[in-house]
Every structure is written in C-alpha cells, then in structure tokens.
Amino acid sequence: MRSIFHVVLLLLCVGWLAAGAAPAKPIVTGAEQTQLYVPYLKNKRIGMVINQTAVIGQRLLLDSLLKLGVKVTRVFGPEHGFRGNASNGAHVGDEIDSATGIPVVSLYGARKMPPQKDMDAIDIMIFDIQDVGCRFYTNINTLRDIMEACAEAGKELIILDRPNPNDYIDGPVLDMKLKSGIGQFPIPITHGLTVGEFAQMVNGQGWMTTKKKCKLKIIPLKNYHHGMDYTLPVHPSPNLNTQQSVLLYPALCLFEGTIISQGRGTYMPFTVLGAPALKGKYAFSFTPESIPGKSESPLHMGEACYGLDLRNFDTAPMRKAGKINLGWMIELYNAYPDKAKFFDRSYSKQMGDINKLAGTTEFMQQIVAGKSEAEIRRSWEPGLSNYKKMRTRYLLYP
C-alpha cells in the first residue's frame, strides 16, 4: 500500500516537473494572517476603513475581529458605503451599523477625512479595501486621506494588503493640471501596485498636503508576486460585479468621457459598449434602465444601445502584454456617425471629462486625429518609463 502511495507521489512530482513547476501555493491576504496583527491590537481602540471586500473567508473582517475580542470603536466607509451597496458617486451618510451597534462614519459625501472627534476615539486605524489597480478608482484617494488624518492625529495605520487584479503599468501619467476626484496622483492609468505598496509611495513621494509621513504597519501578502492572476472573492463595487468587469475596467472606464454607454443600468456593466446612434452598425444591443443601488439615471436610459459585447472577450493576452486596450475607443469613434457629440459633455450630463479620465488633453485629440494605438502609446513617454523606475523604490513583492 505504501509503495503504491510512493509511486503515485513520484508520478505527480514528475508531472509537475514536466509542467515546469510545482503547483503554486494559494495567495494569503494580509487580513487572513490574524496572528501577525491581532495580538498587536490587544487593549487598543480600533478604527477600521473597510467595505464589503474586507473579508476573512466568507466573514466580514469586522465580525471576525469582534469575535477575536478586538475592541472596534469606529468604522469609516468609502465610496459605495461600508457594505458596498451605494451607487457610483452617491452621497453616503453616517449611520449606526445595525448588526454591531458600532458608529459608521462616511468618508464619501460631506467629508473625505475623519472628524477629529472620531480620530480621538481610536488608538490604531486599520485599512482593508480591495482596490482594482486604476488611477480613477477612488479607493487610493481614500487611502491617502486616511494616511493624512492618521499623520495629523499621530495614529498608526495598519494596512492589510490584498492583490492587484490589474497588476500591470500602462497609460499616460496624470498631468497634475487635470487633478480631480478621479485623478489625484501623477501616476498612469494602471499603476501596478498593491495598496500597501501604494501607501509607501504616498509617504515617499510626499503626496499628502501637509507633507507629513504616516506611521505604517503593512501586513504583506504571502505567496504573491507581481503579475499573478487573482480572482476577487467579493465584488469591489456595485458596477464591478464580475471578474470580467474588473479586468475590462481600465479600458472601459475611459468611455465614461464619451457618448458611449459602458452598460451602467444593466446587470452587465463594464462588459458592454454601445449607443443608440450605432444602430445598423452593430447587431448586439442592450437597453439601460434605472437600477437602484447600481445606477439610477444611466446614460441612454430606456434607449436600445448597439455596440460591442465583451463579456467573453479573452483578457489574458492584454494583461500579459501589460496594455490597456485602446482599439475599442478608436473603433467606436470611427463608427459613430456624429463625431462632434462623441466627447462633448454638453450633450449629456452623465458623461464624464475625458481629459480628466485619461489624465491628458492629448488623448482626445489623438483619437479625433486618427492616430494609431502605437502613436498614442509613444506619446506617453518618457513619463511612463520614469514612473516605472520610481515605482521600484516602493515594492514589497518581486
């Protein structure tokens, strides 16, 4: 019996060697490594910046820490709220969490930083929010604001690190003249960092308004290296409700600066593209409707939109190459019949500012001028290469 076991084990090892490597060990998030931080929290008053993505297994981190005897006195909620059920850009107010009785302080709406009275109610702050690795995803803005509040109040910030699902570096570096709520830092569209690494960059580059440094304690990932595929266990926001939408987000969010719908107002947001004026040019269609908690007033509401169905698009080559797909923007601009409306915000209040999304005024001009993807990419240098070099100073993982 024992000899059979050894033969099977030997065959498995031979198979792994033939495949080039042993099976990869599973990624272990910072939150899951409770032995590294729960003892540190003993007899401390804890504040938590979390949302529905802060989980250990199937359980919300807050509930796990309370069960382990951690004294949580405040929860601070980002965009989409503490439980992730508020629409994009919606005002989120303060509340008392019905499940625990803990005060929940909103950081998206009337304020971006915790009030002093709430900082006085904690000794240590924990940050655990799943990011998607994009400049225009607002979690990194919240991180910087929390770091600034902690630095001002003399509080330590513990970051429970999580993988970056869009872990590559691409896009123009933000022109800081275009700084806005969807672009706060001189970084490319996809920055290639985990949240823990990004926090080190904020400190190192002096990106807080006071120029102070936040005292950081980062609980790093185990068995992780840059470029690994990672499937998110929890949807990061109401309109990123599939893994495919997360992986397409760096390219499709740029369409928020156009007349083209990205599927808001459907149950397949950020996996489809279309507009009513493209009828006859594309067979695929969808009709945006008001969906509470996801998109109440979507672009082209109640109108059939014709365009591209990307739900089964293979994102692997794009991610392996480390490139945001610009071909869809070029294709749909060329296909759109009234090109004057394509980027013009005056035609729809739901449209965003393409210059702020792209981080440069050149991108729109290049699409209009018919520049190729290769020509557009060349214009991102030397900024992109300079960013990559700077980034290496803050890496926690190979």
Side-chain angles (χ1 to χ4, degrees):
M1 198 70 179
R2 186 175 177 182
S3 62
I4 293 174
F5 171 78
H6 285 133
V7 169
V8 171
L9 184 61
L10 178 62
L11 289 173
L12 286 172
C13 290
V14 169
W16 292 336
L17 289 171
K25 294 180 180 179
I27 296 170
V28 183
T29 66
E32 292 172 304
Q33 300 174 74
T34 53
Q35 75 281 4
L36 298 183
Y37 64 95
V38 167
Y40 192 71
L41 306 178
K42 187 176 181 180
N43 299 323
K44 303 285 197 320
R45 300 170 302 162
I46 306 303
M48 301 182 72
V49 185
I50 56 174
N51 64 8
Q52 80 286 353
T53 65
V55 293
I56 298 178
Q58 300 296 313
R59 177 177 286 176
L60 197 66
L61 176 65
L62 171 63
D63 299 331
S64 294
L65 294 190
L66 291 174
K67 189 173 181 179
L68 291 170
V70 175
K71 184 180 180 180
V72 179
T73 58
R74 291 290 187 280
V75 172
F76 300 91
E79 184 180 5
H80 307 298
F82 161 48
R83 298 197 179 275
N85 54 6
S87 301
N88 177 65
H91 174 86
V92 179
D94 296 347
E95 60 181 342
I96 300 296
D97 181 44
S98 59
T100 63
I102 295 172
V104 179
V105 181
S106 171
L107 300 180
Y108 195 86
R111 71 176 78 91
K112 305 297 183 188
M113 295 176 65
Q116 186 60 48
K117 65 181 180 64
D118 293 303
M119 292 301 294
D120 290 341
I122 70 170
D123 300 312
I124 294 175
M125 186 78 83
I126 290 175
F127 187 99
D128 184 16
I129 295 177
Q130 177 66 61
D131 193 48
V132 299
C134 295
R135 184 181 65 220
F136 32 62
Y137 203 65
T138 62
N139 289 341
I140 55 175
N141 301 351
T142 299
L143 172 63
R144 186 273 320 280
D145 294 340
I146 288 297
M147 290 177 64
E148 190 147 353
C150 288
E152 285 292 298
K155 311 287 183 176
E156 185 174 18
L157 177 63
I158 297 178
I159 295 178
L160 306 179
D161 217 1
R162 291 185 180 270
N164 178 351
N166 289 303
D167 196 8
Y168 56 94
I169 306 158
D170 200 31
V173 172
L174 175 69
D175 179 347
M176 292 301 282
K177 294 176 183 176
L178 295 169
K179 182 179 178 180
S180 70
I182 52 173
Q184 294 275 305
F185 311 100
I187 60 175
I189 291 174
T190 52
H191 51 67
L193 298 166
T194 67
V195 166
E197 292 171 327
F198 195 86
Q200 295 195 140
M201 184 179 286
V202 170
N203 259 350
Q205 296 300 119
W207 286 344
M208 292 188 285
T209 57
T210 60
K211 304 302 180 185
K212 291 185 177 180
K213 292 187 184 297
C214 175
K215 183 180 180 183
L216 294 174
K217 182 180 180 69
I218 299 170
I219 308 300
L221 296 153
K222 281 183 64 177
N223 308 324
Y224 178 76
H225 62 78
H226 281 289
M228 290 182 73
D229 289 339
Y230 179 68
T231 299
L232 275 60
V234 179
H235 302 154
S237 54
N239 285 292
L240 292 183
N241 61 349
T242 63
Q243 180 72 4
Q244 185 74 345
S245 66
V246 170
L247 299 179
L248 292 172
Y249 181 73
L252 268 60
C253 191
L254 288 170
F255 283 91
E256 295 204 316
T258 75
I259 201 73
I260 304 295
S261 168
Q262 320 85 48
R264 288 189 186 274
T266 74
Y267 290 95
M268 48 188 179
F270 290 101
T271 61
V272 296
L273 293 167
L278 292 173
K279 184 178 182 179
K281 295 179 180 291
Y282 295 93
F284 171 72
S285 69
F286 58 91
T287 302
E289 302 291 352
S290 179
I291 303 177
K294 289 176 71 71
S295 187
E296 280 78 9
S297 301
L299 181 65
H300 304 311
M301 184 166 64
E303 300 179 79
C305 295
Y306 297 83
L308 302 175
D309 181 359
L310 302 173
R311 286 174 290 179
N312 295 315
F313 178 81
D314 183 5
T315 63
M318 177 180 70
R319 289 180 288 121
K320 186 176 181 180
K323 291 183 178 181
I324 297 167
N325 188 307
L326 303 181
W328 299 319
M329 182 70 72
I330 295 169
E331 175 184 342
L332 292 177
Y333 176 80
N334 290 336
Y336 201 80
D338 189 350
K339 291 178 173 47
K341 292 184 178 180
F342 195 83
F343 292 112
D344 192 341
R345 297 183 69 193
S346 66
Y347 288 99
S348 174
K349 65 180 181 180
Q350 286 96 344
M351 287 170 59
D353 187 326
I354 186 61
N355 294 329
K356 291 179 179 178
L357 284 161
T360 174
T361 58
E362 291 184 344
F363 181 72
M364 178 179 67
Q365 297 168 3
Q366 290 164 334
I367 297 294
V368 171
K371 299 292 185 182
S372 69
E373 187 166 342
E375 289 174 309
I376 293 171
R377 290 186 179 282
R378 282 197 291 271
S379 72
W380 298 345
E381 296 294 353
L384 193 56
S385 293
N386 291 339
Y387 168 80
K388 290 177 179 179
K389 183 177 179 181
M390 180 268 284
R391 166 184 170 272
T392 60
R393 302 202 295 268
Y394 304 107
L395 296 182
L396 295 168
Y397 314 100

